[in-house]
Amino acid sequence: MRPLDSSRAAEVPEPGLRLTDDAPQGAIEEPAAAEAAGTPGTGRCWLFGSSPCGLCAPQEAKKKAPCPGLGLFYTLLSAFLFSVASLFVKKVQDVHAVEISAFRCVFQMLVIIPCLIYRKTGFLGPKGQRIFLLLRGVLGSTAMILLYYAFQATSLADATVITFSSPVFTSIFACIFLKEKYSPWDALFTVFTITGVILIVRPPFLFGASAAGGGESYSLHLKGTIAAVAHAVFGALTLVILRKMGKSVDYFLSIWYYVILGLLESIIVLFIIGEWSLPYCGLDRLFLILIGLFGLGGQVFLTKAIQIEKAGPVAIMKTMDVVFAFIFQIIFFNDVPTWWTVGGALCVIASSTGAAVRKWCQGSK
């Protein structure tokens, strides 16, 4: 999840779309975290005291020789924190996904506002980029809501795997809107991803009623799957917009539009569907706080990994999201993934990893 951006809803770089030379390919959560690699803050971090953090580290930090493997460790830790945040989303009872998104936007806003004041960037952004900032905010927040709904409607493993299909859509949209090259390799990765999603969805007209399952449970599973695919699409569009804006817009300003428009969108949707209610259980309230905290922690460590490690290794290590999702699903929900899900996960991960390795090899030439 992908959450404090992300959500996992659309704030991480994808294959076929390079935000910076060091941006990871195929990450799932927080596309804006990747943008931070190109626009780190200056000076010391207001949030973490005297030491520069992953969000505010000065550009000169890249010149220091990091400990070997430290970037991969940060990526692994980020994947774990994002997965735990997703687990809490799944564990929250009687709180709609849109309401969870609203709470997360409020929490993130409390962090972003002091950052904007400290950096003196203003709250509107450059005039020529405001339309893109508005689109980035609406699409990114929609992706976050869809992701949270997917976690609630279908299994943790299925939703997590499907979100890894975002790189495919990113390559397609980048070809259409940014005129980037769409190679035969991209087409092959698209086929792998589609195959993986089909294995997870298991439509009855292809697999039969017995393999797909029936009744209300399959209907809910199908809704969650559609939401996860829609999240991947909206996340890919968000990344294309971030690429279009480039480094002309401050990273925190991009996040500001994301959280403020996400909060407005969540309030409007909650008013329409009439689902607004404070959690009755104290444990649910704790989960809502932890979703924000673990999402923020995941974003910080992912940003730090982007700054000190190459794109390919980060993207490959990021697939640990899927491993953690499978483990958490078995341990906390006593739900063993089917072989169809495992097969679909292998196809999607193969596609994401293949795209990352290809970009890595191209960048090293």
Side-chain angles (χ1 to χ4, degrees):
M1 149 158 157
R2 222 38 136 130
L4 235 0
D5 57 334
S6 96
S7 76
R8 194 174 284 175
E11 286 197 11
V12 179
E14 308 290 355
L17 185 60
R18 298 179 64 87
L19 297 179
T20 68
D21 291 339
D22 296 321
Q25 312 290 331
I28 299 224
E29 177 117 27
E30 312 290 356
E35 192 181 10
T39 57
T42 59
R44 299 184 181 276
C45 175
W46 66 272
L47 185 61
F48 294 95
S50 60
S51 300
C53 70
L55 294 176
C56 307
Q59 187 73 18
E60 290 75 9
K62 289 186 177 181
K63 298 180 181 179
K64 297 179 181 179
C67 175
L70 184 60
L72 296 181
F73 173 75
Y74 284 155
T75 307
L76 180 64
L77 186 56
S78 169
F80 176 77
L81 294 175
F82 280 139
S83 298
V84 173
S86 303
L87 172 65
F88 290 143
V89 172
K90 185 75 173 177
K91 293 288 287 184
V92 170
Q93 301 293 326
D94 301 323
V95 180
H96 197 278
V98 181
E99 188 173 350
I100 297 177
S101 302
F103 275 106
R104 176 177 174 178
C105 286
V106 170
F107 180 87
Q108 192 166 4
M109 193 181 302
L110 297 176
V111 177
I112 293 301
I113 290 177
C115 286
L116 291 176
I117 296 174
Y118 175 78
R119 294 163 69 87
K120 300 179 181 179
T121 58
F123 292 87
L124 296 178
K127 289 185 178 180
Q129 300 290 350
R130 290 175 187 175
I131 182 63
F132 296 113
L133 285 167
L134 287 171
L135 288 173
R136 180 266 183 275
V138 172
L139 293 173
S141 57
T142 302
M144 174 180 61
I145 293 173
L146 289 168
L147 179 66
Y148 286 175
Y149 178 80
F151 283 139
Q152 290 187 334
T154 189
S155 70
L156 198 61
D158 288 355
T160 301
V161 169
I162 293 174
T163 58
F164 269 85
S165 64
S166 186
V168 169
F169 297 110
T170 302
S171 298
I172 295 174
F173 292 142
C175 176
I176 295 173
F177 298 110
L178 302 179
K179 308 304 179 183
E180 294 186 2
K181 183 179 179 181
Y182 189 80
S183 68
W185 282 107
D186 294 318
L188 177 62
F189 298 143
T190 300
V191 171
F192 266 86
T193 297
I194 293 175
T195 301
V197 173
I198 290 175
L199 290 175
I200 293 173
V201 177
R202 301 185 298 278
F205 66 88
L206 289 178
F207 292 83
S210 59
E216 184 179 354
S217 61
Y218 179 74
S219 175
L220 189 61
H221 168 73
L222 184 60
K223 291 178 182 178
T225 300
I226 294 174
V229 173
H231 158 79
V233 172
F234 280 98
L237 288 170
T238 301
L239 289 168
V240 171
I241 292 173
L242 288 173
R243 176 66 179 89
K244 178 69 175 178
M245 291 190 297
K247 300 179 182 179
S248 62
V249 176
D250 188 90
Y251 161 62
F252 288 104
L253 187 62
S254 174
I255 296 295
W256 163 251
Y257 270 82
Y258 163 74
V259 297
I260 192 66
L261 292 176
L263 180 59
L264 291 175
E265 181 180 350
S266 298
I267 292 174
I268 293 172
V269 173
L270 287 170
F271 178 78
I272 294 174
I273 64 179
E275 289 287 345
W276 178 267
S277 62
L278 291 176
Y280 294 106
C281 176
L283 190 60
D284 284 346
R285 298 173 188 175
L286 176 61
F287 285 157
L288 290 174
I289 296 174
L290 292 177
I291 288 170
L293 288 174
F294 279 87
L296 175 61
Q299 184 175 346
V300 168
F301 283 110
L302 178 59
T303 303
K304 194 63 178 176
I306 290 167
Q307 291 175 338
I308 65 177
E309 187 57 84
K310 293 182 179 180
V314 170
I316 295 173
M317 182 62 73
K318 193 69 176 66
T319 58
M320 286 298 296
D321 278 16
V322 176
V323 177
F324 288 130
F326 274 69
I327 293 174
F328 291 163
Q329 180 172 314
I330 295 173
I331 294 177
F332 294 99
F333 301 100
N334 195 28
D335 182 6
V336 179
T338 65
W339 286 110
W340 295 114
T341 296
V342 174
L346 291 176
C347 289
V348 174
I349 290 177
S351 172
S352 178
T353 303
V357 172
R358 179 171 175 270
K359 293 292 181 181
W360 184 17
C361 294
Q362 286 180 337
S364 61
K365 289 181 181 179

